[in-house]
Amino acid sequence: AKSRLQHIWSRLWTEAGKEPPDLVGQAHEAGQLGSDEKEDPLQGLPLPSAVVNGRVLSGDAVMDESLFDNICAAEVAEFAHKIRERDHHDINFLSSDSDIARWQYDGSTLHSWHPAIVSEHVGQPHYTAMSVLDLQGIPGGSGSSANSGVAPGSVAVHVLILAEPALHQDHVPLKEAADFLAAYAIHLQTPDEKTVNDEHSGPVSRWLFMSVSGKCPLKKGHREERVPLMLAGSLRRCLAAAFPKKGSGGPLLPKVLKSLAGALRNASRHLNAGLRTDDPFHVERLVLDACAEAASSSGDWSAQEELRPDQPFVQPVDEEFCKVQQALVNKAGVDIPAGAALLYVNGRRFGPVLADHGGVRINAGHVQLAEQLELTYGHRLRGSSAMRFPVTTSLPGSGLVKALQDTISSEGEFHLHVAHALAICAQASQAIRALQDNGELHTEASALENAFSSAPAELQIHLPAREDEDGCPLQVFAAFDPLGQEAQRLPAVLKLLHDELNAEVRILLCPRPLVAPPLLKYYRSAMAESSLLGSLGELGHWQADRTLVRFVLPVRHGMLFGAQLITPEGWLCSAVDSGGADLESLRADMKGTVRARYILEALFVEGFAQQADGRPAAGRHMALLPVGGTSPEGVAGRDAVVVKSGYFQLRAPPGLYELAPQASGGDIDEVLVSPKGLVEITNLVGRSSVLRVRLGIAKGSKLGSTPSEGSTTDSDSSYEGFGGNPRTCTETVHIFSVASGHRYERLLRIMMLSVREHTQCPLRFWLVENFLSPNFRRILPGLAKRVGFAVSTITYKWPSWLRVQVEKQRVIWAYKILFLDVLFPLHVTKVLFIDADQIVRADVRELWQMNLHGAVYGMVPFCGSGPESQPSATDRLFGWGSDKASDAKNQETMGLRFWEQGFWKKHLAGMHYHISALFVVNLELFRAQAAGDHLREVYQALTEDPTSLANLDQDLPNYVQRELNIFPLPAEWLWCETWCSDATKARAKTIDMCQNPLRKEGKLQQARRIAPEWAQYDSRIAAWIIEVEAELTASAP
């Protein structure tokens, strides 16, 4: 075979007019794989065999002369063709024939041979990007020497996923797991041999993390039954007890691995000897006792107390071990047969690899082979000899891998970030290569490209790719109006693509005739600074102030601006500091500088839920529970309600979570059928797809039932109110309001105090948090304590399928009416809405206890609303001084009553037009009748015309009142100077500071004039705020 190969090799080079270099053979000599073990580096290599360009031939393939010759000829010819006829950067370093021969037959890559590992190398490599968050809670750590004093030259993050151990006659249980652990123990203590001519030679920073696959044996219900750990659960306990504590590692890790492998071998021998039938936990006791004995002998185990041999049944901590490890198994997405394992090196998958593959048993040489194949031929972090084979296409920007190289000198977990980035690079490179292979990167010119080439030169902007980079796989065409909104936002993104990915950018300017002022906003992009070639090494020292954006506004007297943060769709952000400035009202002629700081509080996740019979799981209650425990007040997304279509949304900080349906009372007892495993919220750009949830009906439940009315859970108490007199009133009154900007927050504070002054009931206010200013959020807890109420903040991301509102005021109006069914926890069954600019002069308990007679909500009709010949029932009932509805109207604004003319007069046809400044909502009935879905559907249809729903929060419920009946609240419960006569003011129970178009008057001036008590409330609150500020200052670090 060798002679024939030499003949083919010589002939091909001779035909090319070159002197054939000598073949460099594999050195056949013993190598020391560990401190106390020596193995043949070619152990398990079948004879005869040959390896050509990484392709292993054995058995009949070698003995069949014609087959062997054809394969060798094809492989060598293809290799020579790539070298001699293609100018590819991957092989530019092969400057001489001897370099080619040494590279092709590099003996280090065949340190030991394993069919499964080599087959993965020959075929298309598979990469799974595993972030630090994915590895959080997974047993493992650093296997590198902590005191070597030498900066590492490369990073190798190993992940070992063991198959679920089981009792079978075909193999000895746990023996395979022990073999894998022993192989890694020897590998981690084997010094790394530097590759010749490496520019960044140095030891390899090695890490190892391990997971055990298999279903989690969870307790059923809350019964005190003892569920066996099974072999997988016992092994997980041993891993948790064995691995070094965080922060330690180095030489300690291999010793612990070796000790654990010995424990599993001992347990295997006992299990193979036979099982006791009188002990249902005999298997678990044998494994845990063996691990306890090993831990005691070693003295190096991290947490021996985790073993608990006297408790060989499932404990809560075992459930957590399983959930976290199974999440990693699910991410791999590969079924692992018994006796096998998945091996990962920097995200590159090898296997499933059997511990005994046709007589080839796994050993440290095989682990070394997998590492070498990735570090030598994969996206490794080494010098110029780190070329990939087979040849792949690099990511745009040749400095990327070189830049990652510079980060290796950092210590600790930063190496895990490097390996994660490396896997992402490999995935992206493969995707680009696939596009090139399919010809998708070289399509015919599009209409936009043709338009660009034929446009006048004055309308063209061209950013060519840099010639010193390795190709330009990205070509970006953009067309927009130079005075349009897109012209403000797109350039920063296009520049980022050009600077970071060397994209070629062509911009076609498409000016439009001006019919209105084109730009009403100033815009800046908070992009991270572009990295110079190789400067990614500074990533670990990156400072947030590099994304600072600055606005320098021209002085314009009398003009006000508001700051608006535009974020990715899945972000929940809030302003946390503005230096006391009102970000909703910034004067363009003010002096000085306003500084604002925002934070990312959480990420949103959208999903759709179905019942077991396939119908939408409307009315159900979904929650994200943090892995490792729950927080009673801050369980992320615990109040997510599923609407009629099955849609729901959850929010949480980045992390790993368990998705769970929440108990709704009654007959409902549902379990989560899918998705399996944990929900990962780890990507700042958001999930690539929505969650598809399917619920199953547990035994004893009624299929298709809905949460029963009045159902409660143990968490009801977390929504109780505060203040009042418990001897007079014990029922909490829930009040919802929306305010944005310092002026309306000042009005809101006074509204809250006026409510408190007139009721003895406990109060809980619900405020939309993303509209509140940093200063108000800061003082709110202290102010609530002094006034006497509880407060909760709520939010809801505008659904991606619902037509969005852009103007801030219309967004606020939408939040008042569009999301009532999903804003509040299911345990809140009724809520009052009171506008921030109202003064309350009566006990809201009257409204709270009012019978709405089957309506989902009740609102106050506009003063004198309804036909003249039919005075409103509330006018007659409360005797507002006249039997004529016209006597309740403000005669000065009669011509402005839009609902009594045109479209609204015809549409109402005698019905009232109600004001939305105050209303009562029966949330139970509102959800049961899917009123929120109906309102959103009508909104979606009407807003196709952007001029419709001029007063969104009022027009929408009044428009649909034939389908969603509105109970008319007594007219005395809302008085508004704009629409109501002065004669009716004396009986008013609330006064709304609605803007009177006939008066040029500010809100605060209007409030002082209309409601004398407003100034007194304002003074009391101002004094309390001074006290709160003093307390906050004193408690500040």
mmCIF file with all atom_site columns, all heavy atoms in Angstrom, residues 619-621 639-641 662-664 707 711 716 719 821 824-829 924 927:
data_model
loop_
_atom_site.group_PDB
_atom_site.id
_atom_site.type_symbol
_atom_site.label_atom_id
_atom_site.label_alt_id
_atom_site.label_comp_id
_atom_site.label_asym_id
_atom_site.label_entity_id
_atom_site.label_seq_id
_atom_site.pdbx_PDB_ins_code
_atom_site.Cartn_x
_atom_site.Cartn_y
_atom_site.Cartn_z
_atom_site.occupancy
_atom_site.B_iso_or_equiv
_atom_site.pdbx_formal_charge
_atom_site.auth_seq_id
_atom_site.auth_comp_id
_atom_site.auth_asym_id
_atom_site.auth_atom_id
_atom_site.pdbx_PDB_model_num
ATOM 1   N N   . GLY A 1 619 ? -56.952 32.244 28.611 1.00 0.00 ? 619 GLY A N   1
ATOM 2   C CA  . GLY A 1 619 ? -57.221 32.431 30.026 1.00 0.00 ? 619 GLY A CA  1
ATOM 3   C C   . GLY A 1 619 ? -56.250 31.738 30.947 1.00 0.00 ? 619 GLY A C   1
ATOM 4   O O   . GLY A 1 619 ? -56.321 31.902 32.162 1.00 0.00 ? 619 GLY A O   1
ATOM 5   N N   . ARG A 1 620 ? -55.327 30.943 30.387 1.00 0.00 ? 620 ARG A N   1
ATOM 6   C CA  . ARG A 1 620 ? -54.361 30.269 31.248 1.00 0.00 ? 620 ARG A CA  1
ATOM 7   C C   . ARG A 1 620 ? -53.302 31.254 31.719 1.00 0.00 ? 620 ARG A C   1
ATOM 8   O O   . ARG A 1 620 ? -53.197 32.376 31.231 1.00 0.00 ? 620 ARG A O   1
ATOM 9   C CB  . ARG A 1 620 ? -53.698 29.096 30.512 1.00 0.00 ? 620 ARG A CB  1
ATOM 10  C CG  . ARG A 1 620 ? -54.677 28.015 30.048 1.00 0.00 ? 620 ARG A CG  1
ATOM 11  C CD  . ARG A 1 620 ? -55.573 27.514 31.163 1.00 0.00 ? 620 ARG A CD  1
ATOM 12  N NE  . ARG A 1 620 ? -56.287 26.314 30.807 1.00 0.00 ? 620 ARG A NE  1
ATOM 13  C CZ  . ARG A 1 620 ? -57.520 26.269 30.318 1.00 0.00 ? 620 ARG A CZ  1
ATOM 14  N NH1 . ARG A 1 620 ? -58.177 27.390 30.102 1.00 0.00 ? 620 ARG A NH1 1
ATOM 15  N NH2 . ARG A 1 620 ? -58.084 25.114 30.043 1.00 0.00 ? 620 ARG A NH2 1
ATOM 16  N N   . HIS A 1 621 ? -52.518 30.785 32.642 1.00 0.00 ? 621 HIS A N   1
ATOM 17  C CA  . HIS A 1 621 ? -51.576 31.646 33.335 1.00 0.00 ? 621 HIS A CA  1
ATOM 18  C C   . HIS A 1 621 ? -50.198 31.007 33.209 1.00 0.00 ? 621 HIS A C   1
ATOM 19  O O   . HIS A 1 621 ? -49.949 29.951 33.773 1.00 0.00 ? 621 HIS A O   1
ATOM 20  C CB  . HIS A 1 621 ? -52.003 31.736 34.806 1.00 0.00 ? 621 HIS A CB  1
ATOM 21  C CG  . HIS A 1 621 ? -51.488 32.925 35.529 1.00 0.00 ? 621 HIS A CG  1
ATOM 22  N ND1 . HIS A 1 621 ? -51.671 33.114 36.868 1.00 0.00 ? 621 HIS A ND1 1
ATOM 23  C CD2 . HIS A 1 621 ? -50.790 33.990 35.107 1.00 0.00 ? 621 HIS A CD2 1
ATOM 24  C CE1 . HIS A 1 621 ? -51.120 34.256 37.242 1.00 0.00 ? 621 HIS A CE1 1
ATOM 25  N NE2 . HIS A 1 621 ? -50.564 34.804 36.180 1.00 0.00 ? 621 HIS A NE2 1
ATOM 26  N N   . ASP A 1 639 ? -47.178 36.701 35.883 1.00 0.00 ? 639 ASP A N   1
ATOM 27  C CA  . ASP A 1 639 ? -48.540 37.151 35.674 1.00 0.00 ? 639 ASP A CA  1
ATOM 28  C C   . ASP A 1 639 ? -48.895 37.225 34.192 1.00 0.00 ? 639 ASP A C   1
ATOM 29  O O   . ASP A 1 639 ? -49.685 38.064 33.780 1.00 0.00 ? 639 ASP A O   1
ATOM 30  C CB  . ASP A 1 639 ? -48.748 38.513 36.336 1.00 0.00 ? 639 ASP A CB  1
ATOM 31  C CG  . ASP A 1 639 ? -48.509 38.451 37.826 1.00 0.00 ? 639 ASP A CG  1
ATOM 32  O OD1 . ASP A 1 639 ? -48.934 37.464 38.447 1.00 0.00 ? 639 ASP A OD1 1
ATOM 33  O OD2 . ASP A 1 639 ? -47.895 39.372 38.362 1.00 0.00 ? 639 ASP A OD2 1
ATOM 34  N N   . ALA A 1 640 ? -48.291 36.388 33.367 1.00 0.00 ? 640 ALA A N   1
ATOM 35  C CA  . ALA A 1 640 ? -48.579 36.386 31.938 1.00 0.00 ? 640 ALA A CA  1
ATOM 36  C C   . ALA A 1 640 ? -49.872 35.631 31.677 1.00 0.00 ? 640 ALA A C   1
ATOM 37  O O   . ALA A 1 640 ? -50.002 34.454 31.995 1.00 0.00 ? 640 ALA A O   1
ATOM 38  C CB  . ALA A 1 640 ? -47.430 35.747 31.167 1.00 0.00 ? 640 ALA A CB  1
ATOM 39  N N   . VAL A 1 641 ? -50.849 36.308 31.097 1.00 0.00 ? 641 VAL A N   1
ATOM 40  C CA  . VAL A 1 641 ? -52.152 35.715 30.803 1.00 0.00 ? 641 VAL A CA  1
ATOM 41  C C   . VAL A 1 641 ? -52.219 35.391 29.314 1.00 0.00 ? 641 VAL A C   1
ATOM 42  O O   . VAL A 1 641 ? -51.824 36.197 28.471 1.00 0.00 ? 641 VAL A O   1
ATOM 43  C CB  . VAL A 1 641 ? -53.289 36.684 31.187 1.00 0.00 ? 641 VAL A CB  1
ATOM 44  C CG1 . VAL A 1 641 ? -54.645 36.069 30.877 1.00 0.00 ? 641 VAL A CG1 1
ATOM 45  C CG2 . VAL A 1 641 ? -53.193 37.043 32.656 1.00 0.00 ? 641 VAL A CG2 1
ATOM 46  N N   . GLN A 1 662 ? -49.431 28.058 35.622 1.00 0.00 ? 662 GLN A N   1
ATOM 47  C CA  . GLN A 1 662 ? -49.737 28.330 37.014 1.00 0.00 ? 662 GLN A CA  1
ATOM 48  C C   . GLN A 1 662 ? -51.137 27.859 37.358 1.00 0.00 ? 662 GLN A C   1
ATOM 49  O O   . GLN A 1 662 ? -52.060 27.950 36.540 1.00 0.00 ? 662 GLN A O   1
ATOM 50  C CB  . GLN A 1 662 ? -49.601 29.825 37.315 1.00 0.00 ? 662 GLN A CB  1
ATOM 51  C CG  . GLN A 1 662 ? -48.189 30.343 37.114 1.00 0.00 ? 662 GLN A CG  1
ATOM 52  C CD  . GLN A 1 662 ? -47.211 29.687 38.067 1.00 0.00 ? 662 GLN A CD  1
ATOM 53  O OE1 . GLN A 1 662 ? -47.131 30.019 39.227 1.00 0.00 ? 662 GLN A OE1 1
ATOM 54  N NE2 . GLN A 1 662 ? -46.455 28.728 37.557 1.00 0.00 ? 662 GLN A NE2 1
ATOM 55  N N   . ALA A 1 663 ? -51.316 27.362 38.566 1.00 0.00 ? 663 ALA A N   1
ATOM 56  C CA  . ALA A 1 663 ? -52.616 26.877 39.008 1.00 0.00 ? 663 ALA A CA  1
ATOM 57  C C   . ALA A 1 663 ? -53.629 28.003 38.973 1.00 0.00 ? 663 ALA A C   1
ATOM 58  O O   . ALA A 1 663 ? -53.362 29.121 39.403 1.00 0.00 ? 663 ALA A O   1
ATOM 59  C CB  . ALA A 1 663 ? -52.521 26.304 40.423 1.00 0.00 ? 663 ALA A CB  1
ATOM 60  N N   . SER A 1 664 ? -54.807 27.709 38.433 1.00 0.00 ? 664 SER A N   1
ATOM 61  C CA  . SER A 1 664 ? -55.851 28.726 38.330 1.00 0.00 ? 664 SER A CA  1
ATOM 62  C C   . SER A 1 664 ? -57.060 28.403 39.192 1.00 0.00 ? 664 SER A C   1
ATOM 63  O O   . SER A 1 664 ? -58.057 29.087 39.149 1.00 0.00 ? 664 SER A O   1
ATOM 64  C CB  . SER A 1 664 ? -56.299 28.849 36.862 1.00 0.00 ? 664 SER A CB  1
ATOM 65  O OG  . SER A 1 664 ? -55.224 29.203 36.049 1.00 0.00 ? 664 SER A OG  1
ATOM 66  N N   . PRO A 1 707 ? -60.341 28.791 33.650 1.00 0.00 ? 707 PRO A N   1
ATOM 67  C CA  . PRO A 1 707 ? -60.152 29.107 35.059 1.00 0.00 ? 707 PRO A CA  1
ATOM 68  C C   . PRO A 1 707 ? -61.446 29.587 35.688 1.00 0.00 ? 707 PRO A C   1
ATOM 69  O O   . PRO A 1 707 ? -62.123 30.466 35.178 1.00 0.00 ? 707 PRO A O   1
ATOM 70  C CB  . PRO A 1 707 ? -59.095 30.217 35.014 1.00 0.00 ? 707 PRO A CB  1
ATOM 71  C CG  . PRO A 1 707 ? -58.367 29.983 33.741 1.00 0.00 ? 707 PRO A CG  1
ATOM 72  C CD  . PRO A 1 707 ? -59.375 29.455 32.778 1.00 0.00 ? 707 PRO A CD  1
ATOM 73  N N   . SER A 1 711 ? -61.416 32.028 41.606 1.00 0.00 ? 711 SER A N   1
ATOM 74  C CA  . SER A 1 711 ? -60.339 31.141 42.026 1.00 0.00 ? 711 SER A CA  1
ATOM 75  C C   . SER A 1 711 ? -59.177 31.958 42.545 1.00 0.00 ? 711 SER A C   1
ATOM 76  O O   . SER A 1 711 ? -58.878 33.035 42.076 1.00 0.00 ? 711 SER A O   1
ATOM 77  C CB  . SER A 1 711 ? -59.893 30.285 40.840 1.00 0.00 ? 711 SER A CB  1
ATOM 78  O OG  . SER A 1 711 ? -59.411 31.103 39.809 1.00 0.00 ? 711 SER A OG  1
ATOM 79  N N   . ASP A 1 716 ? -52.242 35.423 46.393 1.00 0.00 ? 716 ASP A N   1
ATOM 80  C CA  . ASP A 1 716 ? -53.160 36.553 46.469 1.00 0.00 ? 716 ASP A CA  1
ATOM 81  C C   . ASP A 1 716 ? -52.641 37.643 47.383 1.00 0.00 ? 716 ASP A C   1
ATOM 82  O O   . ASP A 1 716 ? -52.807 38.831 47.121 1.00 0.00 ? 716 ASP A O   1
ATOM 83  C CB  . ASP A 1 716 ? -54.530 36.087 46.990 1.00 0.00 ? 716 ASP A CB  1
ATOM 84  C CG  . ASP A 1 716 ? -55.327 35.373 45.892 1.00 0.00 ? 716 ASP A CG  1
ATOM 85  O OD1 . ASP A 1 716 ? -54.796 35.249 44.788 1.00 0.00 ? 716 ASP A OD1 1
ATOM 86  O OD2 . ASP A 1 716 ? -56.463 34.963 46.169 1.00 0.00 ? 716 ASP A OD2 1
ATOM 87  N N   . TYR A 1 719 ? -50.787 40.956 46.499 1.00 0.00 ? 719 TYR A N   1
ATOM 88  C CA  . TYR A 1 719 ? -51.436 42.075 45.814 1.00 0.00 ? 719 TYR A CA  1
ATOM 89  C C   . TYR A 1 719 ? -52.383 42.836 46.738 1.00 0.00 ? 719 TYR A C   1
ATOM 90  O O   . TYR A 1 719 ? -53.228 43.584 46.269 1.00 0.00 ? 719 TYR A O   1
ATOM 91  C CB  . TYR A 1 719 ? -52.201 41.567 44.587 1.00 0.00 ? 719 TYR A CB  1
ATOM 92  C CG  . TYR A 1 719 ? -51.337 40.776 43.642 1.00 0.00 ? 719 TYR A CG  1
ATOM 93  C CD1 . TYR A 1 719 ? -51.557 39.412 43.442 1.00 0.00 ? 719 TYR A CD1 1
ATOM 94  C CD2 . TYR A 1 719 ? -50.281 41.385 42.975 1.00 0.00 ? 719 TYR A CD2 1
ATOM 95  C CE1 . TYR A 1 719 ? -50.745 38.691 42.593 1.00 0.00 ? 719 TYR A CE1 1
ATOM 96  C CE2 . TYR A 1 719 ? -49.460 40.664 42.126 1.00 0.00 ? 719 TYR A CE2 1
ATOM 97  C CZ  . TYR A 1 719 ? -49.706 39.314 41.939 1.00 0.00 ? 719 TYR A CZ  1
ATOM 98  O OH  . TYR A 1 719 ? -48.900 38.597 41.104 1.00 0.00 ? 719 TYR A OH  1
ATOM 99  N N   . ASP A 1 821 ? -56.778 43.132 29.809 1.00 0.00 ? 821 ASP A N   1
ATOM 100 C CA  . ASP A 1 821 ? -56.898 41.716 30.159 1.00 0.00 ? 821 ASP A CA  1
ATOM 101 C C   . ASP A 1 821 ? -55.561 41.069 30.481 1.00 0.00 ? 821 ASP A C   1
ATOM 102 O O   . ASP A 1 821 ? -55.520 39.986 31.081 1.00 0.00 ? 821 ASP A O   1
ATOM 103 C CB  . ASP A 1 821 ? -57.583 40.947 29.028 1.00 0.00 ? 821 ASP A CB  1
ATOM 104 C CG  . ASP A 1 821 ? -56.911 41.166 27.676 1.00 0.00 ? 821 ASP A CG  1
ATOM 105 O OD1 . ASP A 1 821 ? -56.236 42.203 27.509 1.00 0.00 ? 821 ASP A OD1 1
ATOM 106 O OD2 . ASP A 1 821 ? -57.071 40.320 26.780 1.00 0.00 ? 821 ASP A OD2 1
ATOM 107 N N   . PHE A 1 824 ? -52.721 42.898 34.299 1.00 0.00 ? 824 PHE A N   1
ATOM 108 C CA  . PHE A 1 824 ? -52.834 42.627 35.723 1.00 0.00 ? 824 PHE A CA  1
ATOM 109 C C   . PHE A 1 824 ? -52.803 41.127 36.010 1.00 0.00 ? 824 PHE A C   1
ATOM 110 O O   . PHE A 1 824 ? -53.195 40.317 35.169 1.00 0.00 ? 824 PHE A O   1
ATOM 111 C CB  . PHE A 1 824 ? -54.141 43.219 36.270 1.00 0.00 ? 824 PHE A CB  1
ATOM 112 C CG  . PHE A 1 824 ? -54.313 44.673 35.959 1.00 0.00 ? 824 PHE A CG  1
ATOM 113 C CD1 . PHE A 1 824 ? -55.077 45.076 34.872 1.00 0.00 ? 824 PHE A CD1 1
ATOM 114 C CD2 . PHE A 1 824 ? -53.692 45.638 36.730 1.00 0.00 ? 824 PHE A CD2 1
ATOM 115 C CE1 . PHE A 1 824 ? -55.226 46.415 34.567 1.00 0.00 ? 824 PHE A CE1 1
ATOM 116 C CE2 . PHE A 1 824 ? -53.831 46.979 36.439 1.00 0.00 ? 824 PHE A CE2 1
ATOM 117 C CZ  . PHE A 1 824 ? -54.605 47.378 35.351 1.00 0.00 ? 824 PHE A CZ  1
ATOM 118 N N   . PRO A 1 825 ? -52.363 40.749 37.207 1.00 0.00 ? 825 PRO A N   1
ATOM 119 C CA  . PRO A 1 825 ? -52.406 39.335 37.592 1.00 0.00 ? 825 PRO A CA  1
ATOM 120 C C   . PRO A 1 825 ? -53.845 38.815 37.585 1.00 0.00 ? 825 PRO A C   1
ATOM 121 O O   . PRO A 1 825 ? -54.803 39.568 37.771 1.00 0.00 ? 825 PRO A O   1
ATOM 122 C CB  . PRO A 1 825 ? -51.832 39.335 39.012 1.00 0.00 ? 825 PRO A CB  1
ATOM 123 C CG  . PRO A 1 825 ? -51.096 40.620 39.135 1.00 0.00 ? 825 PRO A CG  1
ATOM 124 C CD  . PRO A 1 825 ? -51.781 41.600 38.262 1.00 0.00 ? 825 PRO A CD  1
ATOM 125 N N   . LEU A 1 826 ? -53.995 37.519 37.369 1.00 0.00 ? 826 LEU A N   1
ATOM 126 C CA  . LEU A 1 826 ? -55.333 36.919 37.371 1.00 0.00 ? 826 LEU A CA  1
ATOM 127 C C   . LEU A 1 826 ? -56.045 37.121 38.696 1.00 0.00 ? 826 LEU A C   1
ATOM 128 O O   . LEU A 1 826 ? -57.271 37.142 38.761 1.00 0.00 ? 826 LEU A O   1
ATOM 129 C CB  . LEU A 1 826 ? -55.239 35.421 37.067 1.00 0.00 ? 826 LEU A CB  1
ATOM 130 C CG  . LEU A 1 826 ? -55.069 35.030 35.600 1.00 0.00 ? 826 LEU A CG  1
ATOM 131 C CD1 . LEU A 1 826 ? -54.971 33.518 35.485 1.00 0.00 ? 826 LEU A CD1 1
ATOM 132 C CD2 . LEU A 1 826 ? -56.229 35.541 34.758 1.00 0.00 ? 826 LEU A CD2 1
ATOM 133 N N   . HIS A 1 827 ? -55.278 37.268 39.774 1.00 0.00 ? 827 HIS A N   1
ATOM 134 C CA  . HIS A 1 827 ? -55.877 37.400 41.097 1.00 0.00 ? 827 HIS A CA  1
ATOM 135 C C   . HIS A 1 827 ? -56.547 38.756 41.282 1.00 0.00 ? 827 HIS A C   1
ATOM 136 O O   . HIS A 1 827 ? -57.325 38.934 42.221 1.00 0.00 ? 827 HIS A O   1
ATOM 137 C CB  . HIS A 1 827 ? -54.814 37.192 42.172 1.00 0.00 ? 827 HIS A CB  1
ATOM 138 C CG  . HIS A 1 827 ? -53.881 36.069 41.853 1.00 0.00 ? 827 HIS A CG  1
ATOM 139 N ND1 . HIS A 1 827 ? -54.314 34.773 41.683 1.00 0.00 ? 827 HIS A ND1 1
ATOM 140 C CD2 . HIS A 1 827 ? -52.544 36.048 41.632 1.00 0.00 ? 827 HIS A CD2 1
ATOM 141 C CE1 . HIS A 1 827 ? -53.273 34.002 41.386 1.00 0.00 ? 827 HIS A CE1 1
ATOM 142 N NE2 . HIS A 1 827 ? -52.199 34.753 41.348 1.00 0.00 ? 827 HIS A NE2 1
ATOM 143 N N   . VAL A 1 828 ? -56.234 39.718 40.416 1.00 0.00 ? 828 VAL A N   1
ATOM 144 C CA  . VAL A 1 828 ? -56.907 41.013 40.467 1.00 0.00 ? 828 VAL A CA  1
ATOM 145 C C   . VAL A 1 828 ? -58.150 40.908 39.591 1.00 0.00 ? 828 VAL A C   1
ATOM 146 O O   . VAL A 1 828 ? -58.054 40.771 38.374 1.00 0.00 ? 828 VAL A O   1
ATOM 147 C CB  . VAL A 1 828 ? -55.974 42.145 39.974 1.00 0.00 ? 828 VAL A CB  1
ATOM 148 C CG1 . VAL A 1 828 ? -56.705 43.487 40.005 1.00 0.00 ? 828 VAL A CG1 1
ATOM 149 C CG2 . VAL A 1 828 ? -54.722 42.201 40.826 1.00 0.00 ? 828 VAL A CG2 1
ATOM 150 N N   . THR A 1 829 ? -59.318 40.957 40.197 1.00 0.00 ? 829 THR A N   1
ATOM 151 C CA  . THR A 1 829 ? -60.571 40.701 39.480 1.00 0.00 ? 829 THR A CA  1
ATOM 152 C C   . THR A 1 829 ? -61.335 41.963 39.122 1.00 0.00 ? 829 THR A C   1
ATOM 153 O O   . THR A 1 829 ? -62.320 41.899 38.396 1.00 0.00 ? 829 THR A O   1
ATOM 154 C CB  . THR A 1 829 ? -61.482 39.796 40.331 1.00 0.00 ? 829 THR A CB  1
ATOM 155 O OG1 . THR A 1 829 ? -61.743 40.445 41.586 1.00 0.00 ? 829 THR A OG1 1
ATOM 156 C CG2 . THR A 1 829 ? -60.809 38.452 40.583 1.00 0.00 ? 829 THR A CG2 1
ATOM 157 N N   . GLU A 1 924 ? -62.670 39.915 35.584 1.00 0.00 ? 924 GLU A N   1
ATOM 158 C CA  . GLU A 1 924 ? -63.077 38.517 35.402 1.00 0.00 ? 924 GLU A CA  1
ATOM 159 C C   . GLU A 1 924 ? -63.958 38.381 34.172 1.00 0.00 ? 924 GLU A C   1
ATOM 160 O O   . GLU A 1 924 ? -63.732 37.511 33.320 1.00 0.00 ? 924 GLU A O   1
ATOM 161 C CB  . GLU A 1 924 ? -63.825 38.022 36.642 1.00 0.00 ? 924 GLU A CB  1
ATOM 162 C CG  . GLU A 1 924 ? -62.937 37.571 37.778 1.00 0.00 ? 924 GLU A CG  1
ATOM 163 C CD  . GLU A 1 924 ? -63.725 36.903 38.894 1.00 0.00 ? 924 GLU A CD  1
ATOM 164 O OE1 . GLU A 1 924 ? -64.898 37.262 39.107 1.00 0.00 ? 924 GLU A OE1 1
ATOM 165 O OE2 . GLU A 1 924 ? -63.162 36.021 39.555 1.00 0.00 ? 924 GLU A OE2 1
ATOM 166 N N   . ARG A 1 927 ? -62.102 39.236 30.848 1.00 0.00 ? 927 ARG A N   1
ATOM 167 C CA  . ARG A 1 927 ? -61.288 38.136 30.316 1.00 0.00 ? 927 ARG A CA  1
ATOM 168 C C   . ARG A 1 927 ? -62.168 37.016 29.781 1.00 0.00 ? 927 ARG A C   1
ATOM 169 O O   . ARG A 1 927 ? -61.878 36.432 28.723 1.00 0.00 ? 927 ARG A O   1
ATOM 170 C CB  . ARG A 1 927 ? -60.363 37.601 31.400 1.00 0.00 ? 927 ARG A CB  1
ATOM 171 C CG  . ARG A 1 927 ? -59.295 38.599 31.863 1.00 0.00 ? 927 ARG A CG  1
ATOM 172 C CD  . ARG A 1 927 ? -58.599 38.098 33.111 1.00 0.00 ? 927 ARG A CD  1
ATOM 173 N NE  . ARG A 1 927 ? -57.607 39.044 33.619 1.00 0.00 ? 927 ARG A NE  1
ATOM 174 C CZ  . ARG A 1 927 ? -57.440 39.318 34.899 1.00 0.00 ? 927 ARG A CZ  1
ATOM 175 N NH1 . ARG A 1 927 ? -58.193 38.721 35.822 1.00 0.00 ? 927 ARG A NH1 1
ATOM 176 N NH2 . ARG A 1 927 ? -56.524 40.180 35.281 1.00 0.00 ? 927 ARG A NH2 1
#
